[in-house]
Amino acid sequence: MSTKPKTPFPPDFLWGAATASYQIEGSPLADGAGPGIWHRFSHTPGRTSNGDSGDIACDHYHRFRDDVALMRDLGLRAYRFGIAWTRIYPEGKGRVNQAGLDFYRRLLDELHAAGIQPLVTLYHWDLPAALDDLGGWLNRDVASWFAEYATTVYRAFDDRVPMWVTLNEPWVVTDGGYLHGVLAPGHRNHFEAPIATHNLMRAHGAALAAYRAVGKNQIGTVVNLEPKYPASQSDEDLAATRRSHAYMNEQYLDPLFRGSYPDEVVKMFGEAWPKLPSSDFDSIRQPIDFLGINYYKRSVVRNDPQQVIERASHVPQPDAIRTTLDWELYPAGLTDILVWVKERYGDLPLYVTENGAAFYDPPSAVDGAVDDPLRVHYLQTHIAAVGEAIRRGVNMRGYFVWSLLDNYEWSHGYSKRFGIVHVDYATQKRTIKSSGRWYGEMIRGNGIR
Ligand code: FCB
């Protein structure tokens, strides 16, 4: 007789799926909303694949009720989504747009009725364009603009939102938006990058302080982490791996938990690193209630003096399974990075707030079914990696798959599909993929299927 394996996941483990406002909602200017930097960026020729924009996306703005029904059918316990700052403050600050608040109130009510717990991200990359005109993340005042917006949203929704996230992936905001120019606002300037970084951290601190004044639930933040492994044991590659790790994994967590940026990062930027008032760190390092970690892949690193800042590059692994974004499937990296976070920053509650994969999995011409065995494999192996972290003593509280729906993958437009639900963009028809069915059953078994 075979005994069923015991689940490592605690009984109240939060299983969910994640999305972001600009990637799914569409109608970015509806009902008095203002343009954001992503509206601008995606409407600038040459910036996105195929010129794709979030104008329509998954039309979630009009179909949110059906989408919540879909989440219920899937058996999700939680849903992580972003509020668009541009809907609440069309000019970024000053005048509140009531219709924007009303949209999210309806969504939250619908989730409540379906018994699905919301986890709300305040900033998932779409800054109001009017604030970008004032310097955006380069203007020190952005911290108080963000706190003003956050306070309005806390006041409106704290009675129905048990968990808040200040920023999604500040590393990507700076690295993609201010250093390499591949994401909005599309700057390439290594003098700007550390300024944007520090203002993101200050904005986090200001929104956190504002929450402690008016909020009653939990607040945390979300970083994307990527463990770095050396391509060889040469001194050069080991040093490059150390730099990459400091740049990506410690740059944002060190100020949050230790009140300073890593020395390696300060050195990397050299004369571009600004003088920072030490009092800024008092607000940045206030305690958070939980940390969200987005994990997609690892990186195998070699020394590469041609690369700006990091002077390191990634070495593709020949035998690996890779997604259509060329990201290597490496589940053990998730265990490694979760264990590392606990060891370096302490035993706080952790959530995997994003994890998933883009694969090409078109609907069957015969019956329209969407079979995506590679995504099932991806989820299965990564969820097992979270289970392994729990066995190794990490305080894991939840897991969110990226993404609920196929959606607008930023500068890649609609060409990359991450959903556990397929979206036919011509008709907006949703079809649950086999990964979605698999995920629902796995949730019912709390990690065992
Ligand atoms: C993360 C983003 C998310 C999505 C995934 C694939 O970096 O937070 O919006 O684009 O990558």
Side-chain angles (χ1 to χ4, degrees):
M1 199 181 84
S2 73
T3 45
K4 228 182 166 202
K6 194 172 162 331
T7 181
F9 297 95
D12 55 352
F13 196 77
L14 211 55
W15 296 104
T19 63
S21 50
Y22 191 77
Q23 294 181 274
I24 63 162
E25 288 175 358
S27 308
L29 305 180
D31 301 326
I37 54 175
W38 268 96
H39 185 70
R40 261 194 196 161
F41 189 76
S42 62
H43 285 273
T44 305
R47 288 301 205 170
T48 68
S49 162
N50 196 35
D52 288 347
S53 77
D55 285 2
I56 300 174
C58 308
D59 195 30
H60 174 78
Y61 191 71
H62 297 113
R63 295 167 195 265
F64 69 92
R65 290 201 168 84
D66 294 343
D67 290 339
V68 173
L70 203 57
M71 294 177 214
R72 204 191 39 222
D73 290 352
L74 283 166
L76 301 189
R77 305 239 173 96
Y79 175 50
R80 172 178 175 232
F81 68 95
I83 289 185
W85 187 341
T86 52
R87 294 197 195 278
I88 313 300
Y89 283 94
E91 293 91 32
K93 58 191 173 83
R95 185 178 61 86
V96 174
N97 178 39
Q98 186 57 43
L101 286 171
D102 292 344
F103 168 67
Y104 293 107
R105 179 168 292 114
R106 288 192 295 270
L107 172 60
L108 285 164
D109 286 348
E110 202 70 19
L111 289 166
H112 181 74
I116 297 169
Q117 177 174 323
L119 193 164
V120 173
T121 311
L122 291 166
Y123 187 74
H124 202 128
W125 302 1
D126 198 20
L127 190 75
L131 297 184
D132 195 48
D133 292 340
L134 301 176
W137 289 109
L138 303 174
N139 186 328
R140 265 184 80 84
D141 292 345
V142 71
S144 52
W145 302 332
F146 186 56
E148 177 186 353
Y149 149 66
T151 303
T152 297
V153 177
Y154 302 147
R155 288 215 164 98
F157 302 134
D158 198 46
D159 59 345
R160 34 197 115 184
V161 175
M163 295 177 71
W164 297 91
V165 160
T166 55
L167 306 174
N168 178 69
E169 302 186 351
W171 181 85
V172 177
V173 175
T174 295
D175 185 80
Y178 289 89
L179 187 62
H180 295 293
V182 293
L183 299 172
H187 300 193
R188 298 177 66 142
N189 184 323
H190 68 282
F191 280 83
E192 289 183 358
I195 299 173
T197 287
H198 190 59
N199 285 331
L200 282 155
M201 293 288 89
R202 290 179 52 251
H204 160 80
L208 192 57
Y211 189 71
R212 298 302 181 208
V214 303
K216 296 194 171 46
N217 303 317
Q218 297 202 346
I219 186 159
T221 199
V222 166
V223 290
N224 57 309
L225 300 180
E226 185 176 296
K228 308 285 183 178
Y229 306 91
S232 82
Q233 290 303 311
S234 73
D235 289 350
E236 290 76 14
D237 286 351
L238 290 172
T241 305
R242 178 72 214 127
R243 284 196 298 278
S244 268
H245 175 66
Y247 178 64
M248 185 155 182
N249 300 323
E250 295 176 347
Q251 186 176 187
Y252 296 84
L253 292 181
D254 271 18
L256 283 183
F257 294 108
R258 302 178 149 205
S260 63
Y261 293 96
D263 289 344
E264 285 94 340
V265 173
V266 175
K267 258 191 243 134
M268 262 178 246
F269 280 93
E271 56 163 355
W273 191 264
K275 282 232 166 330
L276 303 173
S278 61
S279 56
D280 284 357
F281 292 94
D282 300 342
S283 97
I284 294 173
R285 71 178 305 184
Q286 300 157 91
I288 50 178
D289 301 314
F290 65 91
L291 179 69
I293 292 160
N294 296 350
Y295 175 81
Y296 289 94
K297 60 183 167 68
R298 70 160 169 178
S299 178
V300 177
V301 180
R302 76 177 163 85
N303 184 45
D304 183 353
Q306 304 301 317
Q307 301 299 320
V308 292
I309 307 299
E310 280 179 271
R311 291 177 292 111
S313 57
H314 166 71
V315 183
Q317 297 305 292
D319 301 324
I321 301 179
R322 283 186 246 158
T323 73
T324 52
L325 276 163
D326 226 13
W327 295 355
E328 180 195 346
L329 192 140
Y330 191 72
L334 178 52
T335 312
D336 288 352
I337 205 74
L338 294 170
V339 169
W340 172 77
V341 167
K342 177 181 162 147
E343 282 170 358
R344 184 169 175 86
Y345 300 110
D347 190 16
L348 83 162
L350 301 183
Y351 292 79
V352 172
T353 33
E354 287 181 26
N355 176 239
F359 288 115
Y360 177 66
D361 28 48
S364 139
V366 180
D367 59 4
V370 185
D371 200 18
D372 55 342
L374 283 171
R375 188 171 291 97
V376 172
H377 176 68
Y378 186 99
L379 297 180
Q380 196 162 29
T381 50
H382 285 77
I383 289 168
V386 177
E388 178 56 22
I390 295 174
R391 284 191 195 94
R392 289 169 62 181
V394 182
N395 187 359
M396 295 304 307
R397 303 288 183 90
Y399 172 94
F400 292 73
V401 62
W402 183 272
S403 180
L404 174 70
L405 303 167
D406 288 339
N407 60 45
Y408 180 71
E409 182 46 33
W410 309 111
S411 31
H412 299 286
Y414 296 97
S415 64
K416 309 292 174 197
R417 291 174 177 270
F418 274 90
I420 54 172
V421 174
H422 178 270
V423 177
D424 178 334
Y425 294 113
T427 61
Q428 291 296 342
K429 180 168 183 270
R430 273 78 162 138
T431 305
I432 297 178
K433 302 183 189 180
S434 29
S435 59
R437 301 265 174 232
W438 178 88
Y439 190 55
E441 280 176 42
M442 191 282 310
I443 293 174
R444 274 183 283 284
N446 196 30
I448 303 287
R449 197 183 157 270

